[in-house]
Amino acid sequence: MNLIVCENYEEVSQKAFEIMKEIVASKPNATLGLATGSSPIGLYKKMVEDHQKHNTSYEAITSFNLDEYVGLSKDHPESYYSFMYHNLFDHINIKEENIHLPQGNGELEQRCNEYEAEIAKYVVDIQLLGVGRNGHIGFNEPGTPFTQTTHIVTLDDKTIQDNARFFNNNVNEVPTQAITMGIATIMKAKKVLLIASGENKAEAIYNLVHGEIREECPVTVLQKHADVVVIVDKAAASNLK
Ligand code: F6R
């Protein structure tokens, strides 16, 4: 595991951008696994600026997102679909048909199977991850078997509390379920890039680096992956030995 500790969020975003850019520049038809949430916003901003300034092309890039809430329509402002278009896809030249986001409505089991089958046609060159305070990756909450592929989850209370900030600070507005790539799906990526900032991630980062590998803390599974880069700020690194 390659651990990079940065001064602050800006530096985390810059370092993550350099890794992402290296892949997009060296492999124009790369497959990117993408994440939502607060963590990647700075990175996406840098990808957009770079595309505008240097014409970095996403024309042949394919993307797969990690997860989506169940029951929100695509055009809901807090759907991960809206998030991705607003923060990235609307501002780069990725082709609509190369964008894949799990869909959290309709026949859910079929949605999971179709998404997993679609990803299986590709090799994800780099999977971007944030991490939950409780160690979740994607929406794989504590206790999720490491063998799990794309599935429907019931969100943990901590996750609902943390995400209430996007839903008028009202836990009752946060969807209680999500569709997520499974841990087995995530682990198939060639490279994993995990970014985290802030003290509330310190325990999860401690577990990732020093903790025992266990399903109760999903992020620890990354210790078994051959190519993981972890980029954190000082606050998220504050529990490390
Ligand atoms: C998002 C995702 C989640 C987030 C995690 C951290 O697609 O899969 O695992 O990465 O909840 O969220 P933030 O970055 O908002 O702290």
Side-chain angles (χ1 to χ4, degrees):
M1 184 182 302
N2 178 6
L3 172 70
I4 303 171
V5 180
C6 299
E7 266 318 297
N8 51 36
Y9 179 71
E10 167 60 24
E11 207 182 302
V12 169
S13 303
Q14 178 59 31
K15 286 263 181 319
F17 165 70
E18 285 163 17
I19 290 171
M20 196 58 96
K21 165 92 190 222
E22 155 78 28
I23 289 186
V24 173
S26 64
K27 188 174 178 190
N29 64 345
T31 301
L32 310 181
L34 299 176
T36 58
S38 309
S39 305
I41 290 178
L43 161 64
Y44 292 158
K45 212 166 154 222
K46 287 183 190 295
M47 288 165 73
V48 169
E49 280 164 10
D50 169 70
H51 169 72
Q52 286 165 352
K53 268 195 211 142
H54 305 294
N55 264 332
T56 302
S57 182
Y58 291 81
E59 209 180 350
I61 294 286
T62 297
S63 75
F64 283 91
N65 263 79
L66 281 169
D67 41 21
E68 178 60 282
Y69 290 114
V70 165
L72 291 192
S73 63
K74 279 181 179 175
D75 58 4
H76 187 288
E78 294 307 334
S79 74
Y80 286 166
Y81 180 99
S82 296
F83 176 100
M84 287 309 300
Y85 277 81
H86 176 74
N87 287 291
L88 187 65
F89 299 149
D90 279 343
H91 314 288
I92 58 175
N93 65 334
I94 190 166
K95 286 188 176 155
E96 181 78 34
E97 64 264 33
N98 292 343
I99 294 172
H100 303 85
L101 286 129
Q103 290 183 50
N105 43 45
E107 181 45 62
L108 293 174
E109 201 182 318
Q110 193 183 331
R111 296 285 196 212
C112 294
N113 295 339
E114 283 168 3
Y115 200 66
E116 191 65 31
E118 195 57 28
I119 301 175
K121 294 182 191 160
Y122 297 79
V123 173
V124 173
D125 290 286
I126 184 165
Q127 177 64 56
L128 175 66
L129 296 177
V131 62
R133 180 158 63 107
N134 62 3
H136 73 213
I137 50 175
F139 270 140
N140 293 283
E141 299 287 24
T144 308
F146 288 164
T147 50
Q148 191 64 264
T149 54
T150 301
H151 65 296
I152 302 295
V153 294
T154 297
L155 297 177
D156 197 86
D157 285 346
K158 274 189 188 161
T159 305
I160 291 181
Q161 283 162 22
D162 287 347
N163 290 6
R165 69 190 195 279
F166 302 114
F167 293 87
N168 305 312
N169 284 318
N170 182 354
V171 286
N172 299 319
E173 286 184 28
V174 184
T176 55
Q177 287 190 308
I179 176 170
T180 183
M181 276 189 206
I183 290 182
T185 325
I186 292 171
M187 289 295 278
K188 281 203 274 182
K190 262 199 213 163
K191 185 182 190 78
V192 171
L193 170 59
L194 183 141
I195 53 176
S197 58
E199 217 184 316
N200 64 338
K201 301 294 173 71
E203 191 185 337
I205 296 303
Y206 173 88
N207 282 323
L208 165 59
V209 178
H210 300 297
E212 180 200 336
I213 302 175
R214 59 192 202 283
E215 290 177 348
E216 289 65 38
C217 186
V219 72
T220 59
V221 76
L222 297 180
Q223 292 177 24
K224 298 207 262 186
H225 195 286
D227 186 1
V228 182
V229 183
V230 176
I231 309 179
V232 294
D233 70 355
K234 275 180 165 170
S238 58
N239 281 5
L240 296 181
K241 289 177 190 160

